[in-house]
Structure formats: C-alpha cells, structure tokens
Amino acid sequence: MSVSKEDREDYEEGLHDRQKGVFDQAINDVTVNHPDTEAYYKGRRGEQLDEDKD
C-alpha cells in the first residue's frame, strides 16, 4: 500500500516542523495554518507512516 501525495507532503511538513523548538512549535500552531492530519502529527512526533513500516 502506498502513501497518498497529500499524506506524504503533510508528513514531510511535520518532520520539518519537528526540527523547531517547543516554543517555535507552539507559535507555529497558533499562527500558521499547518495541516491538521494524522500524517502531519506522525511526522512531528518522529513516527513512521504506517505504509512505510517494513
């Protein structure tokens, strides 16, 4: 099973936002319209997408 393009993009954005500190993440959550998807939050938590697991 493959990951949809939208989920992949949301996941990658979550990985990018994960590099920010806690304060910057909180500011990002308040001021920026980031994806509100499971894929985004998995990336932000550093988890693999289910479809990427071996």
Side-chain angles (χ1 to χ4, degrees):
M1 191 166 152
S2 64
V3 177
S4 73
K5 181 181 177 191
E6 292 81 18
D7 281 350
R8 175 64 59 198
E9 289 172 354
D10 291 351
Y11 179 74
E12 295 293 330
E13 186 171 341
L15 286 175
H16 178 265
D17 287 351
R18 184 171 194 254
Q19 304 302 315
K20 299 176 180 178
V22 175
F23 179 77
D24 288 334
Q25 283 183 5
I27 295 298
N28 186 57
D29 289 347
V30 172
T31 62
V32 178
N33 186 18
H34 63 72
D36 191 23
T37 63
E38 182 63 24
Y40 171 80
Y41 288 105
K42 281 189 175 199
R44 200 155 113 173
R45 292 189 302 261
E47 299 174 4
Q48 285 185 319
L49 287 173
D50 295 336
E51 294 83 355
D52 290 346
K53 292 181 181 176
D54 292 331

